Amino acid sequence: MTSTDKNRVVIFDTTLRDGEQSPGATMTHDEKLEIAELLDDMGVDIIEAGFPIASEGDFRAVSEIAQRSKSAVICGLARAQLPDIDRCWEAVKHAKQPRIHTFIGTSPLHRAIPNLTQDEMADRIEQTVTHARNLCDNVQWSPMDATRTEWDYLCRVVEIAIKAGATTINIPDTVGYTAPVESADLIRRLIDTVPGADEVVFATHCHNDLGMATANALAAVEGGARQIECTINGLGERAGNTALEEVVMALKVRNDIMPFHTGIDTRKIMHISRRVATVSGFAVQFNKAIVGKNAFAHESGIHQDGMLKNSETFEIMRPEDVGLAGTSLPLGKHSGRAALRAKLRELGTEVGDNQLKDIFVRFKDLADRKKEVFDDDILALVTATTEGDDALQLVNLKVVCGTGGPAEATLEMEINGEDKSAVSEGDGPVDATFKAIRMLHPNKARLQLYQVHAVTEGTDAQATVSVRLEEDGMIATGQSADTDTVVASAKAYIHALNRLIVRRGKTGKDVKEISYRDVT
Ligand code: KIV
Ligand code: ZN
């Protein structure tokens, strides 16, 4: 990218910060590293890797992502407080290209929280941005809730931040309140009005409360913003953030009316979308633009007929452009290990020899039970491969259920290497199974989410199950897949419990101790 390329839009991904912050989307350390690597490889310009002062876990993740970064700028979030900014710098300073992102809520409602007058807040902004700039020459500043901040005050604080050394000014629509005309107009007027505005990059950060996050971000680009903040699958607080895949593909497909470009390799979109859905436990809705299961499916007779004659009849982009393999053949029980590895590569998943061995065993078992093993089945197998050193492992499960009374689950588990069994009754097969698990591994984790999806069509389809548990503020998500929904449920529950055990074991409090909403 050259600074003279006026139509280049910088992609700032905040899946690991705003996305991960949304209740229940917590990722493990290794998952954060994996997602950061995928983002870097797909050409994301800036990765907001976390909020270093929030917890030890966040700090470790941001600093390791910074150390491993390749081309992307690595950014950390900090409130407008000197210790936050110092901690953020400690975490990002190892990156090839570090950035500090500091913010404060500037609207009347947000100013009331720390109880600062306009002048006091202006002083705080000057002091904190100056401090950040003394540490790092790449500083982003955000007036949180900018779209509900008084116009004169917004201009005043943006000018102060620029003078204090901010290199990027981000204009967040924190509560998803704005509309496209306003979004374009706000950026345009700020650039026209604020002294020094042409020396910095303006960014847009939209939330999707009214379903307008993508439209608002694109409108902001029309208004002069050259950085879009977004997340994979639109993950994020409440209704989420602008979805990366939507803005990137919109700019690509409608380049005729929006002559802007990004550095994203769009063929990597599908794979990262699936990985984020898996590790966050937030499944992608079937009809989600670009990455939904149905986004390129053509079921009706008229559509199928048109598609066969000319795919452009109903398709404005090619599935290959977002990384969906064309019409690849399913694998069957005679397929060997090499075919499986080739298929995994085609799906964008590289696995080590040991993991391949594991997946191959599961694949053979699945192929025995299911005539054709489709791409989605293979991906579900990858998701379902558990770590061999987990404290809790499912050995055997038998469930008897019917219309006449409660279901009965007979469960065998290995707990820290020791075989244990239990029998439990419950209100249906899943309830009986979960109760049996709790008999063998008593815990006070609360079930926050239980979700089942059929991976492919047919009664022999695999079910993927997500289970989210909460215990003392710690949240863990488990996933698994099996042609038997109850077995998949048991494995997903056990997976989540294993993650809670790991997290509890680390410090007993790898929990978000500070939220970025705690503005003091
Ligand atoms: O939505 C928001 O205002 C934010 C800021 C921290 C940029 O996420
Ligand atoms: Zn946000």
Side-chain angles (χ1 to χ4, degrees):
M1 183 180 89
T2 61
S3 54
T4 53
D5 190 351
K6 296 264 187 272
N7 291 344
R8 169 72 150 83
V9 173
V10 167
I11 296 296
F12 175 110
D13 182 279
T14 183
T15 306
L16 296 173
R17 201 278 297 167
D18 215 325
E20 207 252 355
Q21 207 164 270
S22 82
T26 321
M27 299 174 200
T28 65
H29 183 75
D30 289 348
E31 287 164 351
K32 289 180 190 172
L33 299 187
E34 182 202 340
I35 299 300
E37 190 175 348
L38 293 174
L39 291 168
D40 207 338
D41 288 346
M42 87 185 296
V44 161
D45 300 283
I46 301 139
I47 298 171
E48 188 163 54
F51 179 28
I53 199 137
S55 71
E56 262 311 302
D58 260 43
F59 179 84
R60 269 195 320 121
V62 178
S63 66
E64 206 166 327
I65 289 168
Q67 284 163 46
R68 291 166 173 231
S69 60
K70 297 176 202 155
S71 319
V73 172
I74 305 299
C75 173
L77 184 69
R79 293 169 303 177
Q81 294 181 19
L82 303 190
D84 272 47
I85 293 169
D86 290 340
R87 190 79 175 139
C88 179
W89 174 239
E90 277 306 305
V92 296
K93 69 178 180 197
H94 308 285
K96 291 197 180 79
Q97 303 176 77
R99 174 180 289 191
I100 296 173
H101 176 191
T102 179
F103 75 99
I104 194 161
T106 51
S107 66
L109 282 168
H110 283 261
R111 287 200 306 267
I113 301 171
N115 200 16
L116 293 180
T117 64
Q118 288 196 351
D119 289 345
E120 285 164 345
M121 183 167 282
D123 288 346
R124 172 91 75 94
I125 293 163
E126 192 189 358
Q127 183 202 20
T128 49
V129 175
T130 304
H131 184 69
R133 186 56 202 263
N134 286 338
L135 296 169
C136 180
D137 58 14
N138 189 339
V139 173
Q140 170 166 329
W141 180 74
S142 298
M144 186 163 74
D145 206 13
T147 52
R148 294 191 301 169
T149 299
E150 306 92 322
W151 166 249
D152 288 343
Y153 190 58
L154 185 62
C155 289
R156 178 178 166 197
V157 288
V158 167
E159 184 179 348
I160 289 171
I162 294 174
K163 283 208 176 110
T167 45
T168 298
I169 299 290
N170 177 38
I171 302 298
D173 182 30
T174 305
V175 291
Y177 177 71
T178 205
V181 272
E182 277 177 346
S183 180
D185 190 53
L186 182 59
I187 301 282
R188 193 175 290 121
R189 285 197 298 143
L190 280 169
I191 293 175
D192 287 347
T193 313
V194 177
D198 47 355
E199 300 295 319
V200 299
V201 173
F202 272 79
T204 174
H205 176 110
C206 304
H207 280 266
N208 204 29
D209 300 65
L210 292 172
M212 294 193 281
T214 295
N216 286 334
L218 293 170
V221 170
E222 293 288 352
R226 287 296 177 271
Q227 174 178 303
I228 298 181
E229 305 209 355
C230 47
T231 58
I232 302 292
N233 299 340
L235 202 64
E237 292 232 49
R238 305 182 312 279
N241 289 67
T242 300
L244 178 147
E245 62 277 7
E246 292 178 13
V247 281
V248 167
M249 289 311 289
L251 291 178
K252 189 175 165 101
V253 174
R254 294 312 312 274
N255 202 254
D256 54 333
I257 53 159
M258 294 181 282
F260 308 101
H261 56 278
T262 71
I264 299 294
D265 178 352
T266 61
R267 291 164 309 171
K268 301 207 161 140
I269 285 178
M270 240 9 254
H271 177 57
I272 193 164
S273 159
R274 285 172 169 146
R275 289 303 297 147
V276 168
T278 299
V279 301
S280 66
F282 276 57
V284 175
Q285 79 193 49
F286 283 11
N287 58 340
K288 162 87 179 59
I290 318 292
V291 292
K293 196 171 154 66
N294 290 354
F296 291 90
H298 302 275
E299 293 272 349
S300 84
I302 296 175
H303 281 218
Q304 284 187 350
D305 186 48
M307 285 295 295
L308 289 172
K309 289 182 178 128
N310 179 354
S311 66
E312 282 181 24
T313 324
F314 287 105
E315 245 171 35
I316 55 168
M317 52 200 154
R318 295 178 315 148
E320 298 82 28
D321 292 344
V322 298
L324 266 177
T327 48
S328 64
L329 294 174
L331 298 182
K333 67 174 169 191
H334 300 299
S335 308
R337 204 177 295 204
L340 179 63
R341 190 190 280 281
K343 172 64 78 184
L344 286 167
R345 275 212 183 111
E346 185 189 313
L347 296 172
T349 303
E350 278 299 336
V351 292
D353 287 346
N354 282 342
Q355 205 190 350
L356 181 70
K357 223 187 268 171
D358 238 42
I359 298 170
F360 189 66
V361 172
R362 300 172 63 90
F363 160 71
K364 280 289 178 186
D365 176 49
L366 181 64
D368 271 341
R369 290 183 280 151
K370 198 170 181 293
K371 224 170 85 208
E372 291 176 316
V373 181
F374 296 100
D375 292 0
D376 286 340
D377 288 320
I378 305 278
L379 288 167
L381 283 183
V382 178
T383 308
T385 316
T386 51
E387 298 94 70
D389 53 358
D390 281 345
L392 313 175
Q393 314 251 1
L394 177 69
V395 178
N396 209 356
L397 173 66
K398 217 171 236 150
V399 181
V400 181
C401 58
T403 50
E408 186 184 273
T410 307
L411 175 82
E412 205 183 321
M413 271 170 72
E414 199 183 288
I415 302 182
N416 294 319
E418 211 182 305
D419 248 27
K420 299 210 166 157
S421 57
V423 179
S424 174
E425 285 193 344
D427 191 6
V430 175
D431 186 49
T433 302
F434 284 12
K435 279 185 175 143
I437 294 172
R438 277 198 296 276
M439 281 169 78
L440 293 182
H441 176 71
N443 65 81
K444 50 186 175 68
R446 218 170 45 81
L447 183 68
Q448 273 198 338
L449 173 105
Y450 169 69
Q451 219 169 40
V452 184
H453 283 292
V455 178
T456 51
E457 282 76 39
T459 49
D460 65 350
Q462 283 195 97
T464 51
V465 177
S466 298
V467 166
R468 192 191 304 147
L469 300 177
E470 187 270 335
E471 187 189 79
D472 294 335
M474 278 185 287
I475 292 173
T477 306
Q479 281 101 20
S480 197
D482 199 282
T483 48
D484 185 318
T485 309
V486 185
V487 172
S489 304
K491 287 182 182 165
Y493 189 49
I494 292 170
H495 187 202
L497 286 172
N498 277 320
R499 287 177 142 195
L500 274 182
I501 292 171
V502 172
R503 303 192 81 201
R504 221 183 286 134
K506 270 190 184 139
T507 56
K509 55 183 179 119
D510 188 11
V511 192
K512 290 258 185 306
E513 280 137 7
I514 296 175
S515 153
Y516 84 110
R517 301 274 187 232
D518 301 336
V519 188
T520 50

